[in-house]
């Protein structure tokens, strides 16, 4: 297991380095000069050259990359081209908001998917089990942002029970913080929960057909007891893999949901950076999102090995 962890860590480090090269190269290929954008169309060539030197964009791309990536290793994301303020603190402030949003959405998805998917598998010949499967299929087709708009219309506009947007830090008012995140959590969690329900149902159905579960029932355990004692852990093995992919999907979905609900997270920062042509800020946010996805995949690989003793 130790050797496996070392190998996976090496792959994680190498993947992060390759991702850094890809992100930097992609941003470098985008049209537009940050200095010209900052100064406007009427800027003189001397002023543009001076600002390029200040930004460091007059240096060779290889030097710029190693300077940027080396700074990342020390937590230095550089200075914004637009606001001239450090990018690192901006990302760290927004990262916590996005993390809470994504983890809350995943918790909602699990609360929905595990019981409903298990019930649909156990009662797959029952009309209610078939209805759950059909509803989950409909939920898969609904984008997170559309779910958010529908939830706002129902709970904020019609019922006036929850705020339609905005964000209150937890240190200021815990109750309002919770209320401001309920609809965003539901927007992410309902859609991902529908996807996850299908996988849970499929995994539990596969486990129910295994010989060891029939043996457990033959030894006196009821169907529910046998499934609880021997089946769910084995059913969770393929679901964990899907869960990692869902977390990565939630990160991407959070970018849009944050804009819908006016939440100051990484997605909102990314879209503001794109709108303001702050390429270094966009580069930093994209790198953080990519690194988060790679880290999630690493954790899923380790969890997969821990859950399945056959791999050890």
């Amino acid at each position: 297991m130790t050797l496996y962890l070392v190998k996976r860590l090496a792959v994680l480090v190498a993947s992060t380095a390759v991702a850094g090269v890809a992100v930097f190269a992609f941003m470098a290929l985008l049209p537009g000069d940050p200095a010209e954008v900052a100064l406007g169309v009427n800027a003189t060539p001397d002023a543009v050259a001076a600002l390029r030197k200040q930004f460091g964009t007059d240096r060779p791309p290889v030097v710029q990359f190693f300077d940027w990536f080396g700074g990342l290793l020390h937590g230095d994301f550089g200075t914004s081209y637009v606001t001239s303020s450090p990018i690192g603190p901006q990302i760290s402030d927004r990262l916590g908001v996005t993390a809470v949003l994504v983890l809350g959405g995943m918790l909602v998805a699990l609360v929905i998917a595990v019981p409903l998917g298990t019930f649909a598998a156990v009662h797959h010949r029952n009309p209610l089990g078939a209805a759950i499967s059909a509803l989950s299929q409909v939920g898969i087709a609904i984008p997170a942002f559309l779910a958010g708009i529908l939830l706002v219309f129902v709970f904020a506009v019609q019922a006036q029970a929850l705020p339609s947007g905005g964000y209150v830090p937890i240190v200021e008012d815990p109750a309002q913080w919770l209320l401001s995140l309920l609809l965003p959590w539901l927007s992410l969690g309902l859609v991902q929960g529908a996807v996850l329900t299908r996988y849970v149902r499929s995994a539990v159905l596969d486990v129910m057909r295994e010989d060891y579960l029939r043996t457990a029932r033959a030894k006196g355990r009821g169907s529910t007891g046998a499934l609880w004692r021997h089946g769910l852990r084995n059913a969770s093995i393929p679901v964990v893999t899907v869960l990692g992919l869902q977390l990565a999907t939630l990160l991407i979905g959070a970018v849009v949901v944050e804009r819908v609900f006016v939440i100051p997270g990484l997605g909102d920062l990314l879209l503001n950076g794109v709108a303001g042509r702050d390429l270094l800020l966009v580069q930093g946010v994209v790198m953080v999102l990519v690194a988060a996805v790679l880290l999630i995949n690493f954790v899923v690989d380790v969890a997969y090995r821990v859950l399945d003793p056959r791999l050890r």
Side-chain angles (χ1 to χ4, degrees):
M1 190 66 182
T2 304
L3 181 60
Y4 175 79
L5 284 174
V6 171
K7 289 181 178 179
R8 292 306 305 166
L9 279 172
V11 171
L12 175 63
V13 171
S15 301
T16 305
V18 172
V21 174
V23 170
F24 181 86
F26 177 76
M27 298 303 297
L29 291 174
L30 290 178
D33 187 335
E36 292 180 353
V37 173
L39 292 175
V41 294
N42 296 323
T44 64
D46 292 339
V48 172
L51 194 57
R52 283 176 184 161
K53 186 174 182 179
Q54 179 183 333
F55 288 163
T57 55
D58 60 334
R59 297 171 300 167
V62 175
V63 176
Q64 293 183 53
F65 169 75
F66 281 107
D67 183 53
W68 171 70
F69 197 76
L72 293 183
L73 299 178
H74 298 91
D76 181 10
F77 286 79
T79 303
S80 168
Y81 292 149
V82 176
T83 64
S84 299
S85 57
I87 294 173
Q90 298 181 58
I91 292 178
S92 61
D93 290 343
R94 306 291 189 99
L95 182 59
V97 178
T98 299
V100 169
L101 180 61
V102 170
L103 292 176
M106 181 52 68
L107 181 61
V108 171
L110 286 173
V111 169
I112 293 171
V114 173
L116 289 183
T118 304
F119 183 89
V122 174
H123 301 278
H124 62 281
R125 293 189 179 92
N126 189 296
L128 188 55
I132 292 174
S133 298
L135 282 175
S136 65
Q137 197 70 31
V138 173
I140 293 172
I142 300 176
F145 75 90
L146 180 58
I149 294 172
L150 293 175
L151 287 170
V152 167
F153 177 75
V154 173
F155 292 101
V157 178
Q158 296 295 324
Q160 296 185 355
L162 294 170
S164 61
Y167 177 77
V168 179
I170 188 172
V171 294
E172 292 183 8
D173 191 334
Q176 285 299 318
W177 170 82
L178 182 61
L179 289 175
S180 67
L181 286 174
L182 278 179
L183 289 183
W185 281 341
L186 287 173
S187 301
L188 292 171
L190 287 175
V191 175
Q192 298 306 320
V195 177
L196 207 55
T197 297
R198 303 288 298 177
Y199 285 101
V200 172
R201 178 184 180 275
S202 176
V204 174
L205 274 175
D206 289 341
V207 166
M208 289 172 62
R209 299 188 182 104
E210 294 292 339
D211 291 336
Y212 63 82
L213 211 62
R214 284 196 289 266
T215 302
R217 290 196 296 267
K219 290 173 66 176
R221 286 187 178 271
S223 298
T224 303
L227 183 62
W228 181 262
R229 177 67 178 83
H230 301 285
L232 289 183
R233 182 177 179 181
N234 289 282
S236 68
I237 293 171
V239 173
V240 165
T241 304
V242 177
L243 197 62
L245 297 175
Q246 294 297 96
L247 273 172
T249 305
L250 279 172
L251 271 174
I252 306 304
V255 173
V256 181
V257 169
E258 285 174 4
R259 181 51 64 99
V260 171
F261 289 98
V262 198
I263 295 176
L266 279 182
D268 182 68
L269 184 65
L270 176 63
L271 293 176
N272 289 337
V274 171
R277 299 288 298 170
D278 196 346
L279 297 184
L280 193 60
L281 174 62
V282 173
Q283 189 171 290
V285 174
V286 170
M287 188 63 208
V288 168
L289 293 174
V290 170
V293 172
L294 293 175
L295 183 61
I296 289 169
N297 289 334
F298 168 77
V299 173
V300 168
D301 287 343
V302 174
Y304 196 88
R305 201 172 182 87
V306 170
L307 285 171
D308 192 349
R310 295 170 298 182
L311 297 176
R312 301 196 300 272

